Amino acid sequence: MNILIINGPNLNLLGKREPHIYGTKSLEDINEELKKFGEDNGVKLDFFQSNHEGEIIDKIHQADVSYNGIIINPGAFTHYSYAIRDAIASISVPVIEVHLSNIFSREDFRHHSVISPVVKGQICGFGSFGYKLAVYALIEIIDGNGM
Ligand code: DQA
């Protein structure tokens, strides 16, 4: 089983960026931990981060043929990128949306996700543990356990 984890803009700065909101682990630390978690659960995880909308869209298109599922934290694109939403709606592999912070307890503009209607589900507010929860959920979905 192959799963792609996509992180959007500014998430390359995790660890330094507003640590009181996003925590002190770098994206490399998080990905290293996730890689091991994937191995322990029989899943090969690949990672992609970009600050550019078009690159994220290209990756989503490519992932439709090379992965069994996608986990995406679209960063601020969550709140306004119809192009990323349409890319997700155009593919057939299951997609889960993850946010480190609880977007509903923050500024009003973060309360709305244009991505949520086209994904299997959204996980937010559990820090980097949310990516692990998403891996568990994707395993269930891909194995066809009724989700
Ligand atoms: C985020 C929440 C977004 O509102 C924000 O723009 C981010 C990170 C999160 O993981 O909590 O860049 O997606």
Side-chain angles (χ1 to χ4, degrees):
M1 195 183 287
N2 288 341
I3 292 174
L4 176 66
I5 302 188
I6 300 176
N7 279 289
N10 301 307
L11 293 164
N12 55 311
L13 297 182
L14 285 178
K16 288 181 256 187
R17 173 192 183 200
E18 300 179 276
H20 56 292
I21 296 174
Y22 298 116
T24 53
K25 287 183 197 164
S26 69
L27 187 59
E28 290 71 30
D29 292 341
I30 292 171
N31 289 349
E32 201 54 46
E33 212 178 284
L34 285 170
K35 191 166 175 263
K36 180 156 186 323
F37 175 78
E39 283 162 10
D40 293 344
N41 287 280
V43 182
K44 184 173 180 302
L45 297 177
D46 286 335
F47 304 95
F48 178 75
Q49 189 278 328
S50 176
N51 295 320
H52 305 280
E53 190 177 28
E55 285 183 4
I56 294 171
I57 292 166
D58 288 343
K59 200 71 182 176
I60 291 168
H61 294 171
Q62 291 156 12
D64 196 27
V65 287
S66 20
Y67 291 92
N68 304 109
I70 301 174
I71 294 166
I72 185 165
N73 181 346
F77 286 142
T78 303
H79 313 297
Y80 65 91
S81 176
Y82 298 121
I84 291 178
R85 173 198 168 117
D86 284 352
I88 294 171
S90 305
I91 62 169
S92 46
V93 293
V95 179
I96 297 187
E97 176 186 351
V98 169
H99 300 284
L100 296 149
S101 64
N102 178 354
I103 55 175
F104 301 102
S105 67
R106 300 182 60 197
E107 303 94 320
D108 284 354
F109 76 88
R110 295 186 205 276
H111 296 182
H112 183 64
S113 166
V114 300
I115 306 298
S116 292
V118 295
V119 296
K120 281 281 183 186
Q122 189 212 62
I123 296 165
C124 78
F126 301 106
S128 62
F129 185 61
Y131 295 102
K132 291 184 184 170
L133 293 172
V135 171
Y136 274 136
L138 269 184
I139 292 172
E140 287 292 298
I141 293 164
I142 295 163
D143 282 347
N145 293 334
M147 283 171 76

